[in-house]
Amino acid sequence: MNSEEIKALTGQYIMNTYGRFPVAIDHGRGARLYSPEGREYIDFTSGIGVSSLGYGNESWLKAISAQASKLGHASNLFYTEPAARLAQILCQRTGMSNVFFANGGGEANEGMIKLARKYSFDRYGQGRSTIITLVNSFHGRTITTLKATGQEVFHNYFFPFTEGFRYARANDPADLEAQAGDDVCAVMVELVQGEGGVLPLDQDYVQAVAKLCRERDWLLLVDEVQTGVGRTGSLFAFQQYGILPDVCSFAKGIAGGLPMSGIMAAEKCRDVLTPGTHATTFGANPICAAAGLAVQETLTDAFLAEVAEKGAYLRRKIEELDLPCFGRTRGMGLMIGIEVREGWTNKDLAARLIENGLLILTAGPGMRLLPPLAITCEEMDAGVAILKKTLG
Ligand SMILES: *Cc1c(COP(=O)(O)O)cnc(C)c1O
């Protein structure tokens, strides 16, 4: 099929829930994607932070095809090796204690919310179930994670939403104190707000949140669905904040392009979820877990250091262009936000860049870059050249 046929078929048979760019993707190599007609794009999106190894990565392909030819799915009624090994590596590399595997970010956060409420219920009984989240956060699209999301635009249409969430301003310890109360069981944060606009939390603020959580026996829940698995230049962003969350969720990049997510619990929370309290049919799928193992093998400490260096390089190159439409850059590792100056809108800029062969994301009022972690300098330079040609 050509691009126009794919778009027409999609329009007819897939629910119209996405603001799609007018581009069909057929295949990829490295950090380059191609339309069915062979039109080339430099990819600064990695499928919204998912395809961390880029496209056509040999070890990832081998791991998936070897596992697919052995076993595609067995369910969690049985034991399978790939998920057990992946959980072991995640715990050994982070200091967390055990893992529950799920399938998407919102679903992982649901599990994290359930764990927090059950932890509190087990210790204190009912009435201590409120979770404080941050203004401008994003935690998912289920009825509960929409409500956990601290943006009013998401609290519409689907009433009644799950109760038990309050919102505190990011980087404002006093506002967190103001939201405290006997009903609180946890605080949930993204260390770099992703959808909200690539806004890293201050180190001091995160330390203050962690301290308050310890004092009140609130669980510190960290949503690393976007920041996790190498995106910020460490395996998890919390490792750069000097904290160990009570529970941490991950998803997007975990399996390098296959659907997988999960939560990791610290020692205090390892036995909160017990048989019958939480489950998923697809979770811990062996092919996804094998892909996750290939990702972990690639994400050595040296590779992660390179992610940090490449992020700094790309930010410097973009700032050096001194484009009239762009202000400062910000972010961590290869999670980069660019301020859009007054007089320009991020959606228009993205559309123009895509027309010129650069796939790019928006977040909040700015631009967002989530290139494959394996992107090369040559590929970054090719993307920067398109920025210059299109917006210079
Ligand atoms: C993408 C994202 C989610 C939702 O993940 P899905 O896989 O789309 O359900 C939740 N939290 C954060 C921080 C995200 O970036």
Side-chain angles (χ1 to χ4, degrees), residues 85-128:
R85 285 181 45 213
L86 180 57
Q88 177 191 32
I89 290 170
L90 290 171
C91 291
Q92 286 177 343
R93 296 188 75 178
T94 59
M96 300 296 271
S97 291
N98 60 8
V99 175
F100 177 90
F101 285 113
N103 310 285
E107 188 192 346
N109 287 338
E110 285 267 349
M112 191 154 71
I113 291 163
K114 282 178 69 179
L115 192 157
R117 288 184 170 177
K118 184 160 183 298
Y119 172 87
S120 190
F121 181 89
D122 289 348
R123 286 206 165 186
Y124 303 98
Q126 277 188 37
R128 193 177 177 277

Side-chain angles (χ1 to χ4, degrees), residues 50-239:
V50 169
S51 305
S52 42
L53 306 185
Y55 307 96
N57 178 281
E58 283 295 329
S59 62
W60 184 81
L61 280 171
K62 261 197 204 145
I64 291 173
S65 44
Q67 184 56 46
S69 60
K70 273 174 73 180
L71 177 72
H73 173 81
S75 92
N76 291 296
L77 298 176
F78 307 100
Y79 295 90
T80 50
E81 181 180 324
R85 285 181 45 213
L86 180 57
Q88 177 191 32
I89 290 170
L90 290 171
C91 291
Q92 286 177 343
R93 296 188 75 178
T94 59
M96 300 296 271
S97 291
N98 60 8
V99 175
F100 177 90
F101 285 113
N103 310 285
E107 188 192 346
N109 287 338
E110 285 267 349
M112 191 154 71
I113 291 163
K114 282 178 69 179
L115 192 157
R117 288 184 170 177
K118 184 160 183 298
Y119 172 87
S120 190
F121 181 89
D122 289 348
R123 286 206 165 186
Y124 303 98
Q126 277 188 37
R128 193 177 177 277
S129 54
T130 297
I131 296 171
I132 301 175
T133 68
L134 298 185
V135 173
N136 202 39
S137 57
F138 182 80
H139 296 297
R141 294 280 186 170
T142 65
I143 297 277
T144 298
T145 56
L146 277 175
K147 192 65 178 176
T149 292
Q151 303 183 50
E152 269 308 310
V153 292
F154 289 104
H155 306 160
N156 215 338
Y157 314 122
F158 311 110
F159 305 102
F161 287 95
T162 309
E163 290 173 31
F165 293 95
R166 282 205 295 276
Y167 315 103
R169 279 190 302 275
N171 293 326
D172 183 348
D175 197 40
L176 185 61
E177 291 272 12
Q179 300 303 328
D182 294 340
D183 59 330
V184 173
C185 68
V187 178
M188 172 153 128
V189 301
E190 299 160 89
L191 293 172
V192 184
Q193 293 189 329
E195 305 300 315
V198 191
L199 303 162
L201 294 186
D202 298 340
Q203 290 274 348
D204 290 352
Y205 175 72
V206 173
Q207 293 292 335
V209 174
K211 182 161 175 281
L212 205 60
C213 285
R214 274 195 307 274
E215 286 168 5
R216 314 259 167 113
D217 198 20
W218 298 344
L219 293 192
L220 175 54
L221 312 179
V222 178
D223 176 350
E224 293 235 25
V225 165
Q226 190 159 154
T227 52
V229 202
R231 176 54 57 187
T232 66
S234 51
L235 192 58
F236 286 88
F238 70 73
Q239 295 169 307

